[in-house]
Amino acid sequence: MRIGFGIVRAAMALLTIVAIIAQFATSVNFISGKGGNIAGYVVNFFSFFTIDSNVGYVVVLAIGAYLLFARTGDDPEWFTALRAVITTYMVTTGVVYNLLLRNIPLPQGQTVEWSNEVLHVVGPAYLLLDWLFAPGRAPLRRRVLWWVVGFPIVWAIYTLIRAPFGADPVTGKQPWYPYPFLNPQTSPNGYLSVAFYVLLIAAVILCVGYGVVWVSRRWRGGRALPADGD
């Protein structure tokens, strides 16, 4: 079982790397052909929560595959905590994409559709299954939830501060937001709508994170931390 999951983790990490590179290269070629700002695009590309989450996903899968091949027993607690954080982000990415972004037209000529599905659907679905069934998961304290909420808070602050100064790499039009629901200029009620979506996504992250931690404490063949553990 450990070897099987190790092989699948390595394969999924490779698939995701190829998906990220394929999308990046296609967009760079498109923007370059239009005489656009490549440096600006690079910053925009890594400003997507999806891309950041998937980069973390690749790191977790690579480390996780190594641990399954190299050792037996529970994984180090720090790795299980990191795995829980990235699982939460990836599941949230899948939920938000399918609820809010699935039917929004994608930029023509620079969107790799299969890559889009890997990053938003296949990856989140696999990592959830990996969390539930792969061996090695150690029980976590609830304080790991502080790790879970840390990056999204920093990302949201960064996005709302940078976006008014960001620009579309082809047209140069400002502002540039990674996701349309964060743009107060196009949202029905301006910043009120943006605040609603930010709070909604924060609630999803917390709920998913709590569920991930709960699974680590309860789904262990009857072995769990005490109910009052932090």
Side-chain angles (χ1 to χ4, degrees), residues 182-194:
L182 293 177
N183 188 347
Q185 296 184 8
T186 58
S187 297
N189 298 298
Y191 278 105
L192 185 61
S193 294
V194 172

Side-chain angles (χ1 to χ4, degrees), residues 139-141 214-227:
L140 295 172
R141 305 286 182 178
W214 183 89
V215 166
S216 79
R217 295 162 62 88
R218 298 302 177 197
W219 193 342
R220 291 180 54 78
R223 196 168 129 235
L225 289 176

Side-chain angles (χ1 to χ4, degrees), residues 1-225:
M1 189 173 181
R2 294 182 68 89
I3 293 175
F5 268 103
I7 292 172
V8 175
R9 282 178 176 178
M12 290 300 296
L14 180 60
L15 174 64
T16 304
I17 291 172
V18 172
I20 292 172
I21 292 174
Q23 180 57 73
F24 181 80
T26 299
S27 294
V28 165
N29 288 336
F30 177 86
I31 293 166
S32 179
K34 297 287 186 179
N37 183 351
I38 300 300
Y41 170 71
V42 172
V43 177
N44 288 354
F45 185 76
F46 288 102
S47 294
F48 282 97
F49 189 84
T50 296
I51 298 300
D52 298 336
S53 297
N54 274 274
V55 170
Y57 169 74
V58 170
V59 172
V60 162
L61 288 184
I63 297 173
Y66 169 78
L67 290 174
L68 287 178
F69 290 137
R71 58 182 290 166
T72 59
D74 284 350
D75 295 330
E77 187 174 352
W78 66 265
F79 174 71
T80 302
L82 177 62
R83 187 177 157 207
V85 169
I86 299 301
T87 298
T88 300
Y89 297 165
M90 288 294 288
V91 171
T92 300
T93 293
V95 170
V96 172
Y97 175 77
N98 285 285
L99 288 180
L100 299 179
L101 301 171
R102 166 64 75 177
N103 296 318
I104 294 177
L106 298 171
Q108 297 300 306
Q110 59 175 309
T111 299
V112 182
E113 292 189 5
W114 70 264
S115 171
N116 195 56
E117 292 300 308
V118 168
L119 300 180
H120 292 95
V121 180
V122 177
Y126 172 72
L127 200 56
L128 178 59
L129 292 175
D130 186 275
W131 181 257
L132 293 175
F133 300 112
R137 186 187 64 231
L140 295 172
R141 305 286 182 178
R142 281 189 287 268
R143 60 172 173 261
V144 169
L145 289 173
W146 289 107
W147 288 35
V148 169
V149 301
F151 176 72
I153 291 173
V154 173
W155 178 85
I157 294 172
Y158 159 79
T159 298
L160 295 176
I161 291 176
R162 177 185 179 267
F165 305 99
D168 184 281
V170 174
T171 65
K173 182 179 179 181
Q174 295 178 304
W176 180 88
Y177 287 84
Y179 303 104
F181 56 81
L182 293 177
N183 188 347
Q185 296 184 8
T186 58
S187 297
N189 298 298
Y191 278 105
L192 185 61
S193 294
V194 172
F196 168 77
Y197 284 117
V198 168
L199 291 175
L200 176 62
I201 294 170
V204 172
I205 289 173
L206 280 173
C207 288
V208 173
Y210 186 86
V212 165
V213 172
W214 183 89
V215 166
S216 79
R217 295 162 62 88
R218 298 302 177 197
W219 193 342
R220 291 180 54 78
R223 196 168 129 235
L225 289 176

